[in-house]
C-alpha cells in the first residue's frame, strides 16, 4: 500500500503496527471496501438486478467512501500548502503534483474535485489487485517448495549473499518474471475484467453482440483453458521461460490486465512493484506457514466476485535471513 501511496502522494498510508490509530482507520476503510467489492453481487453481472443490492452494504460503502474522501482531501490540502510555500518546484514529482500542475494550467478542464475522485479511483484500482496478486504468488510459492527453492537460487546467483534488492534487478530475473505471469494466469484479480459495452452491433464468432449489451470477458477461464495451457491448474512458472507470451495485451491467452484501449493503465507500475516486492520478501526473509501448518495444507480456494481473492488469508511467519 505504501508503494502506491508514495507514488501518488509521497506519503506512507500504513504502518507496521496494527495499533497505530492514524493508520488503522485507513486500513479498515481500504480492506472493508475490498471485502465488500469481492462479494458476489448479481447486479454486477445482470444490470437489471442492480438496485436489489443489500442496503447494509450500500450504507457501509457510503461511510467508507466518506472516510476515504476525508483522507485524500486532507492530503490534497496539505500538498497545495506545501507547494505554495516552495519557490523551487523541481522536487514536486508525484502523481498528485502532476495532476495539480494540470489543474493550474490556463483554461484547464480539470479541477480539485476531479483530482480527488481520480486519486481515489486510482488508489482503489491499485491496492486490491496488487495485494491480492502478491498474496497468491506467495501462497503458490509456499505451496510448491521446489519452485520456491528455484526462485531463491535465482536471487542468490544474481544478488549474492549480502546484496540489496533494487527495482533495476527485476527485469534481469527471468524466473521471477515467470512467477508473476504464472500467478496472474491462475489468479487474475479481476477474473471477468471490468464490464464493457459496445457502441455498435458487432459480429463475433458467428454471434451478434448487440449495441450496449454488457460484455464480460472471462480472463480467469482463458488462463486455465486446457486447449491453450498444458496442466492448466498447476503452478508452473517454467512455461513462460521460453515463451514470448506476456500480459501486455497482445497475447489474448493471458489478459489479466485486459487489452486494447481500456487496458489497465497501472500495468507497468503493477508488474514492477510485484516483482520488486516478491524479490524483497524472499531475498531478505525465510517464511513458514503459521500455526505449524504444512505448506501442502495451505487452503488454495478462492472467493468469487467482481474481484477475486484467497478465500482464507495467507498466514506466514517471517524470519530474517
Ligand atoms: C496486479 C495488478 C493489476 C491488475 C491485474 C489490474 C487489472 C485491471 C483490469 C483487468 C482492468 C480492466 C481492463 C479491461 O476491462 O479491459 C483494469 C483497469 C484499471 N486499472 Fe488496473 N490492475 C492492476 C493494477 C493497477 C494499478 C497499480 C493501477 C494504478 C496505478 C491500476 C489502475 C487501473 C485503472 C485506473 C483502470 C481503469 C481504466 C479504464 O477504465 O480505462 N490498476 N485493471
Amino acid at each position: 500500500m505504501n508503494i502506491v501511496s508514495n507514488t501518488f502522494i509521497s506519503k506512507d498510508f500504513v504502518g507496521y503496527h496494527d495499533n497505530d490509530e492514524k493508520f488503522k482507520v485507513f486500513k479498515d476503510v481500504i480492506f472493508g471496501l475490498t471485502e465488500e467489492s469481492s462479494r458476489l453481487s448479481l447486479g454486477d453481472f445482470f444490470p437489471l438486478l442492480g438496485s436489489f443490492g443489500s442496503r447494509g452494504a450500500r450504507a457501509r460503502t457510503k461511510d467508507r467512501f466518506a472516510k476515504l474522501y476525508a483522507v485524500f482531501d486532507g492530503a490534497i490540502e496539505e500538498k497545495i500548502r506545501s507547494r505554495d510555500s516552495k519557490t523551487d518546484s523541481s522536487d514536486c514529482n508525484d502523481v498528485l503534483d502532476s495532476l495539480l500542475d494540470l489543474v493550474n494550467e490556463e483554461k484547464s478542464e480539470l479541477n480539485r474535485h476531479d483530482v480527488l475522485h481520480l486519486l481515489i479511483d486510482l488508489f482503489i484500482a491499485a491496492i486490491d489487485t496488487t495485494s491480492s496478486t502478491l498474496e497468491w504468488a506467495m501462497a503458490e510459492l509456499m505451496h510448491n517448495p521446489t519452485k520456491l527453492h528455484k526462485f531463491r537460487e535465482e536471487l542468490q546467483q544474481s544478488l549474492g549473499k549480502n546484496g540489496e534488492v533494487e527495482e533495476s534487478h527485476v527485469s534481469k530475473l527471468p524466473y521471477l518474471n515467470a512467477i508473476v505471469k504464472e500467478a496472474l494466469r491462475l489468479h487474475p484479480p479481476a477474473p471477468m475484467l471490468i464490464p464493457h459495452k459496445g457502441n455498435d452491433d458487432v459480429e463475433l464468432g458467428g454471434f451478434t453482440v448487440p449495441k450496449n449489451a454488457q460484455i464480460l470477458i472471462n480472463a480467469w477461464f482463458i488462463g486455465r483453458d486446457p486447449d491453450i495451457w498444458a496442466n492448466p491448474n498447476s503452478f508452473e512458472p517454467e512455461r513462460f521461460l521460453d515463451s514470448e507470451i506476456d500480459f501486455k495485451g497482445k497475447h489474448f491467452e493471458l489478459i489479466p490486465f485486459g487489452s486494447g484501449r481500456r487496458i489497465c493503465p497501472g500495468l507497468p507500475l503493477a508488474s514492477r512493484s510485484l516483482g520488486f516486492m516478491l524479490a524483497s520478501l524472499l531475498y531478505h526473509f525465510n517464511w513458514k506457514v503459521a500455526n505449524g501448518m504444512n505448506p501442502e495444507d495451505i487452503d488454495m480456494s478462492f472467493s468469487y466476485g467482481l474481484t477475486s481473492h484467497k478465500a482464507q488469508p495467507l498466514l506466514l511467519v517471517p524470519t530474517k535471513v
Side-chain angles (χ1 to χ4, degrees):
M1 203 181 276
N2 285 342
I3 290 186
V4 175
S5 65
N6 276 291
T7 308
F8 291 164
I9 59 174
S10 306
K11 247 175 179 291
D12 278 354
F13 264 178
V14 283
Y16 295 101
H17 304 292
D18 271 356
N19 53 5
D20 186 332
E21 208 34 58
K22 185 175 145 221
F23 294 133
K24 209 169 160 210
V25 175
F26 195 73
K27 247 182 174 174
D28 289 349
V29 168
I30 288 288
F31 289 118
L33 283 171
T34 302
E35 199 188 316
E36 215 76 70
S37 76
S38 65
R39 284 205 193 112
L40 189 63
S41 153
L42 286 178
D44 292 334
F45 300 101
F46 304 101
L48 280 177
L49 300 178
S51 56
F52 288 94
S54 140
R55 258 194 229 158
R58 232 174 284 162
R60 282 192 299 275
T61 303
K62 203 171 159 192
D63 180 51
R64 287 180 177 128
F65 265 109
K67 287 183 182 148
L68 210 51
Y69 284 131
V71 170
F72 277 94
D73 205 38
I76 294 176
E77 186 60 42
E78 204 178 301
K79 172 71 90 180
I80 291 175
R81 273 206 227 112
S82 113
R83 282 162 61 101
D84 287 348
S85 66
K86 275 183 198 148
T87 41
D88 177 13
S89 64
S90 60
D91 56 342
C92 297
N93 56 6
D94 57 27
V95 173
L96 179 53
D97 278 311
S98 307
L99 291 171
L100 291 174
D101 287 345
L102 288 174
V103 170
N104 290 339
E105 276 177 9
E106 216 177 307
K107 294 193 188 150
S108 172
E109 289 182 12
L110 203 67
N111 59 36
R112 175 173 166 165
H113 187 251
D114 300 329
V115 169
L116 175 63
H117 283 265
L118 202 55
L119 269 186
I120 291 175
D121 281 358
L122 282 170
F123 213 76
I124 291 174
I127 298 293
D128 186 22
T129 46
T130 314
S131 58
S132 156
T133 309
L134 182 67
E135 186 181 26
W136 274 118
M138 286 294 286
E140 289 287 4
L141 286 168
M142 295 302 295
H143 202 229
N144 293 277
T146 51
K147 316 288 178 194
L148 176 63
H149 182 69
K150 198 166 166 181
F151 178 33
R152 278 188 179 285
E153 276 188 347
E154 178 177 74
L155 288 169
Q156 289 291 330
Q157 273 166 19
S158 174
L159 302 176
K161 273 215 172 327
N162 301 310
E164 192 74 41
V165 180
E166 286 172 19
E167 212 184 293
S168 59
H169 294 132
V170 171
S171 60
K172 296 175 194 136
L173 298 167
Y175 199 63
L176 167 62
N177 288 298
I179 289 169
V180 172
K181 284 182 193 170
E182 184 68 342
L184 282 163
R185 178 187 71 82
L186 283 169
H187 310 289
M192 299 278 191
L193 307 184
I194 290 179
H196 288 244
K197 67 178 179 185
N199 292 332
D200 296 297
D201 290 355
V202 178
E203 286 292 321
L204 206 62
F207 294 92
T208 304
V209 182
K211 176 179 172 176
N212 287 336
Q214 175 153 286
I215 303 161
L216 298 165
I217 295 160
N218 195 338
W220 181 89
F221 179 74
I222 296 171
R224 293 179 184 239
D225 185 345
D227 290 340
I228 302 175
W229 305 98
N231 305 324
N233 295 318
S234 304
F235 180 73
E236 293 175 12
E238 291 73 12
R239 70 176 85 238
F240 289 109
L241 286 179
D242 291 315
S243 158
E244 294 276 285
I245 296 178
D246 207 339
F247 44 53
K248 295 184 182 156
K250 296 227 162 62
H251 302 105
F252 295 137
E253 55 274 66
L254 187 69
I255 49 165
F257 294 96
S259 176
R261 197 184 293 185
R262 302 302 291 268
I263 191 170
C264 172
L267 190 160
L269 176 64
S271 65
R272 268 201 318 274
S273 51
L274 278 167
F276 178 66
M277 288 187 284
L278 269 178
S280 306
L281 290 177
L282 288 156
Y283 182 70
H284 293 294
F285 298 96
N286 288 318
W287 296 88
K288 271 205 179 119
V289 189
N291 306 323
M293 205 199 265
N294 289 322
E296 59 270 25
D297 296 331
I298 295 175
D299 183 336
M300 300 296 279
S301 54
F302 49 87
S303 66
Y304 296 88
L306 203 59
T307 57
S308 173
H309 302 97
K310 271 189 97 279
Q312 299 300 327
L314 179 67
L315 296 177
L316 299 178
V317 182
T319 45
K320 191 96 179 74
V321 169

